[in-house]
Amino acid sequence: MTTKNPFLSVDQKIVGDVFTGTEPMDNLTILCDDFGSRFGGTGGERLAAEFIAGRLAEYGLSNVHREEVDYISWTRGEVKLEILSPIQKEIPCITLPHSPPADLEAAIIDMDDGAPSEFDRRAAEIEGKIVMTNSIIHPSGTKRWIHRGEKYGRSLLTGAAGFIFVNHYPGYGPATGSIGAGRQAPIPGISVAKEDGDFLHRLIQRKGEVRIRITSTDQCQPNTSWNIIADLPGQEHPEQVVMLGCHYDGHDISQGAGDPASGAVAVIEAARVLAKYAAPLPRTVRFALWGIEEIGLLGSKAYVKTHADDLDQIRFYLNMDGAGAKLNDVMVNQWPELQPLLERWGKEMAHEFAVGQSLHTFSDHFPFFMAGVPTGGLEADLNKSGGRGYGHTRYDTLDKVQLFHLREASALAARLALRMAHEEKWPVARREEQTVLDILDSPEHREASEFSAKVAALREKLSQS
Ligand SMILES: [Zn+2]
């Protein structure tokens, strides 16, 4: 049975255009093959920002501009991981973004999958050693995604001297990911392939203490990046804004085709078809392509800070990080009032997606969430995925992304934004700070929030000493 669709004729134009063209794959090919990783501080990042702004202007968007973001960038140098005893051997590795230059000798402590309870139990043993832990997202006894940042943070809190992140997928090499929260990290962090992590694990099991040396020449320095912003101005209530966004920077070892560029081109494609078929809209739809997400959500954080006075006017921020690499559901960050509306839209659009309530800290919705803005994302259920797969490795390449998934994400985002811009009675408004804190203090989020507050305080203290 079909539900009456008041936007049927616009929907048909949007879906028809998106599914009969190749624009998002063409744009993705340029972003990945011409500009490379687009990592913060590279020439490819600057060219990508210019290209995106050019495309949005060409598609007829208004007020297309770049907003500068000052930040601390990181440049990869040489790195060496040597086993000193009981054998001598060099192991291939990469440093993690914002790792400091290092010359460190210490014993490894094998923390396996890095369960928070194990960090508590073995705290006394960790001090002065190099923590080795893997990328398994649900260590034994946990239901939350225990992120790399949390495992690194727990290593810091227990006085570790260094950090080795072992990828848990065979054949994908090391997995990268930032450890600095936007500035030089206090202790060095490196990643090794699963096979090399398993070797180190066996060596420790068989021989007892394993001492290693990590030397690296990475550098951090002040730099400038860009958020690219473009509008479809509203006709009746131009001050009220619906936002779609995704970062465009990838990790330096990768094309970042799935994460994030598949989502970035879906945002751009949604902009193209909304400008062509849905304008003028009653309210403004704003498109944001964020810089430097991968090293601390720096672009979106800067936007939330710079535009603090306008945040009350944002009806919803829809995050699309990596959204064009898979089929998605619509997740909202603890806004039950939006559930029936989104479910009704799914029916009227005759588009099958689940609507879920979720919250995680590791993409560009989070600075908006913290500021109380209604947020959500086009996401697959991360907890069911088992982890990032080839994401954050050198194998996140263009050949993995399918045009079908780019089209699905683009059309879904455009049709949702169309409805958000038209809906007369919007059921949610910006939260007070205390309400946000109460959500973070609810039983399912408490452990993660308490721990992040502690780590943030320690990082602050270390940066001043
Ligand atoms: Zn991403």
Side-chain angles (χ1 to χ4, degrees):
M1 200 187 79
T2 51
T3 306
K4 189 171 158 25
N5 178 359
F7 299 101
L8 184 61
S9 113
V10 185
D11 275 348
Q12 286 174 337
K13 289 179 190 144
I14 288 174
V15 175
D17 189 322
V18 169
F19 277 80
T20 50
T22 58
E23 206 81 10
M25 187 57 92
D26 299 343
N27 288 335
L28 186 68
T29 306
I30 293 169
L31 284 177
C32 294
D33 284 358
D34 292 355
F35 307 140
S37 70
R38 310 164 309 278
F39 189 69
T42 62
E45 177 201 29
R46 183 177 50 77
L47 292 171
E50 284 169 10
F51 168 76
I52 291 167
R55 271 289 189 265
L56 290 166
E58 188 186 306
Y59 293 158
L61 279 286
S62 299
N63 189 27
V64 180
H65 65 284
R66 275 171 283 171
E67 299 188 359
E68 288 194 353
V69 182
D70 293 326
Y71 75 106
I72 304 296
S73 70
W74 173 84
T75 314
R76 185 181 295 287
E78 300 288 318
V79 60
K80 205 163 159 186
L81 165 55
E82 298 162 273
I83 302 175
L84 303 175
S85 68
I87 58 164
Q88 287 81 49
K89 184 181 163 71
E90 209 178 302
I91 303 276
C93 72
I94 60 170
T95 39
L96 300 173
H98 278 136
S99 191
D103 187 354
L104 168 68
E105 270 186 47
I108 299 178
I109 177 162
D110 186 355
M111 294 299 290
D112 195 30
D113 53 13
S117 57
E118 279 297 285
F119 273 96
D120 292 342
R121 190 177 70 78
R122 300 182 68 187
E125 285 175 71
I126 295 173
E127 171 122 40
K129 298 204 179 77
I130 296 172
V131 164
M132 180 168 81
T133 181
N134 64 34
S135 57
I136 285 176
I137 64 170
H138 293 138
S140 33
T142 59
K143 286 200 198 95
R144 294 186 293 121
W145 177 313
I146 310 292
H147 190 258
R148 167 195 64 256
E150 179 162 348
K151 294 178 186 183
Y152 180 85
R154 291 190 187 275
S155 305
L156 275 185
L157 287 172
T158 42
F163 180 74
I164 303 177
F165 191 53
V166 181
N167 198 355
H168 74 280
Y169 294 96
Y172 285 158
T176 191
S178 128
I179 51 170
R183 58 188 173 204
Q184 182 167 297
I187 60 170
I190 62 173
S191 178
V192 300
K194 172 179 167 43
E195 295 77 5
D196 291 318
D198 285 355
F199 171 79
L200 287 167
H201 172 79
R202 290 194 303 271
L203 196 62
I204 293 165
Q205 296 281 307
R206 291 173 56 224
K207 313 262 179 177
E209 185 175 272
V210 171
R211 290 190 68 80
I212 60 168
R213 181 171 185 206
I214 299 171
T215 44
S216 75
T217 60
D218 300 350
Q219 289 300 329
C220 294
Q221 69 222 85
N223 215 323
T224 302
S225 183
W226 307 271
N227 292 328
I228 301 115
I229 309 292
D231 284 352
L232 273 183
Q235 288 277 297
E236 292 158 35
H237 309 283
E239 73 292 350
Q240 296 179 22
V241 178
V242 172
M243 280 185 87
L244 304 184
C246 178
H247 68 105
Y248 63 91
D249 65 308
H251 273 291
D252 66 327
I253 60 167
S254 160
Q255 287 197 324
D259 174 14
S262 71
V265 298
V267 170
I268 297 167
E269 179 72 345
R272 183 180 74 84
V273 291
L274 284 169
K276 200 166 169 187
Y277 304 112
L281 287 157
R283 294 169 184 82
T284 299
V285 181
R286 179 163 299 156
F287 305 88
L289 285 304
W290 309 116
I292 44 178
E293 185 266 0
E294 291 293 10
I295 54 173
L297 320 179
L298 304 178
S300 52
K301 273 185 190 159
Y303 184 92
V304 166
K305 200 170 167 195
T306 312
H307 298 273
D309 293 342
D310 308 325
L311 299 178
D312 284 350
Q313 302 288 358
I314 303 178
R315 283 195 147 194
F316 196 77
Y317 169 71
L318 184 74
N319 195 50
M320 293 173 61
D321 193 349
K326 60 200 181 303
L327 286 178
N328 296 295
D329 290 320
V330 179
M331 305 302 274
V332 292
N333 304 138
Q334 311 300 325
W335 298 95
E337 307 89 332
L338 287 172
Q339 184 96 21
L341 183 64
L342 288 161
E343 284 171 356
R344 175 163 65 77
W345 286 349
K347 285 201 187 94
E348 95 182 21
M349 289 159 68
H351 187 119
E352 283 183 22
F353 56 82
V355 181
Q357 304 287 334
S358 75
L359 179 58
H360 67 80
T361 60
F362 28 91
S363 191
D364 291 306
H365 62 285
F366 195 64
F368 288 90
F369 170 86
M370 286 303 288
V373 174
T375 55
L378 294 192
E379 292 179 355
D381 189 336
L382 289 173
N383 286 318
K384 284 185 195 144
S385 69
R388 295 179 186 274
Y390 54 75
H392 285 207
T393 78
R394 65 181 297 253
Y395 302 106
D396 183 359
T397 45
L398 188 73
D399 50 286
K400 314 279 196 317
V401 180
Q402 298 172 35
L403 179 56
F404 171 71
H405 288 149
L406 295 176
R407 287 169 166 165
E408 282 281 316
S410 308
L412 176 55
R415 297 169 80 192
L416 289 173
L418 170 75
R419 286 163 172 79
M420 288 178 189
H422 273 279
E423 188 72 17
E424 279 306 318
K425 283 205 177 124
W426 192 239
V428 292
R430 191 174 170 199
R431 285 172 179 137
E432 297 291 330
E433 189 183 359
Q434 190 54 50
T435 316
V436 176
L437 295 176
D438 289 346
I439 293 172
L440 293 175
D441 193 37
S442 62
E444 54 182 317
H445 302 298
R446 188 172 297 145
E447 184 184 60
S449 343
E450 281 178 355
F451 142 80
S452 351
K454 274 191 218 159
V455 175
L458 178 63
R459 283 181 187 275
E460 196 54 45
K461 199 174 126 198
L462 292 171
S463 77
Q464 278 159 10
S465 62

Tab-separated table of all heavy atoms in Angstrom, residues 247 259-260 293-294 321-322 363 392, ligand 1:
chain	number	residue	atom	x	y	z
A	247	HIS	N	32.928	15.641	5.671
A	247	HIS	CA	34.299	16.132	5.470
A	247	HIS	C	34.853	15.654	4.138
A	247	HIS	O	34.348	14.689	3.561
A	247	HIS	CB	35.201	15.755	6.648
A	247	HIS	CG	35.506	14.294	6.830
A	247	HIS	ND1	36.730	13.746	6.496
A	247	HIS	CD2	34.784	13.266	7.342
A	247	HIS	CE1	36.744	12.451	6.826
A	247	HIS	NE2	35.573	12.133	7.329
A	259	ASP	N	35.619	6.592	2.998
A	259	ASP	CA	35.636	7.543	4.104
A	259	ASP	C	36.669	8.609	3.824
A	259	ASP	O	37.860	8.345	3.906
A	259	ASP	CB	35.980	6.814	5.408
A	259	ASP	CG	36.149	7.772	6.580
A	259	ASP	OD1	35.759	8.944	6.465
A	259	ASP	OD2	36.681	7.337	7.620
A	260	PRO	N	36.214	9.819	3.504
A	260	PRO	CA	34.864	10.335	3.525
A	260	PRO	C	34.272	10.590	2.147
A	260	PRO	O	33.102	10.911	2.054
A	260	PRO	CB	35.081	11.717	4.154
A	260	PRO	CG	36.359	12.188	3.477
A	260	PRO	CD	37.205	10.928	3.361
A	293	GLU	N	38.670	16.789	9.302
A	293	GLU	CA	37.917	15.981	10.279
A	293	GLU	C	38.811	14.896	10.871
A	293	GLU	O	38.730	14.583	12.069
A	293	GLU	CB	36.704	15.325	9.594
A	293	GLU	CG	35.778	14.561	10.538
A	293	GLU	CD	36.077	13.078	10.651
A	293	GLU	OE1	37.007	12.571	10.011
A	293	GLU	OE2	35.360	12.391	11.413
A	294	GLU	N	39.653	14.320	10.009
A	294	GLU	CA	40.388	13.112	10.410
A	294	GLU	C	41.377	13.366	11.541
A	294	GLU	O	41.840	12.425	12.170
A	294	GLU	CB	41.121	12.497	9.207
A	294	GLU	CG	40.198	11.891	8.147
A	294	GLU	CD	39.446	10.646	8.626
A	294	GLU	OE1	39.474	10.340	9.828
A	294	GLU	OE2	38.819	9.997	7.769
A	321	ASP	N	29.177	11.437	6.539
A	321	ASP	CA	30.549	10.901	6.481
A	321	ASP	C	30.567	9.494	5.879
A	321	ASP	O	30.025	8.560	6.468
A	321	ASP	CB	31.101	10.870	7.917
A	321	ASP	CG	32.599	10.626	7.946
A	321	ASP	OD1	33.174	10.280	6.898
A	321	ASP	OD2	33.181	10.796	9.034
A	322	GLY	N	31.166	9.372	4.703
A	322	GLY	CA	31.276	8.044	4.085
A	322	GLY	C	29.958	7.449	3.625
A	322	GLY	O	29.875	6.257	3.343
A	363	SER	N	32.529	11.832	14.479
A	363	SER	CA	32.419	12.494	13.175
A	363	SER	C	31.880	13.907	13.384
A	363	SER	O	31.688	14.343	14.518
A	363	SER	CB	31.562	11.687	12.195
A	363	SER	OG	31.718	12.242	10.886
A	392	HIS	N	40.485	3.659	6.744
A	392	HIS	CA	41.695	4.101	7.469
A	392	HIS	C	42.934	3.255	7.134
A	392	HIS	O	43.898	3.237	7.889
A	392	HIS	CB	41.476	4.128	8.988
A	392	HIS	CG	40.635	5.300	9.435
A	392	HIS	ND1	40.738	5.853	10.687
A	392	HIS	CD2	39.700	6.028	8.789
A	392	HIS	CE1	39.893	6.870	10.794
A	392	HIS	NE2	39.247	6.982	9.648
B	1	ZN	ZN	35.183	10.146	7.959
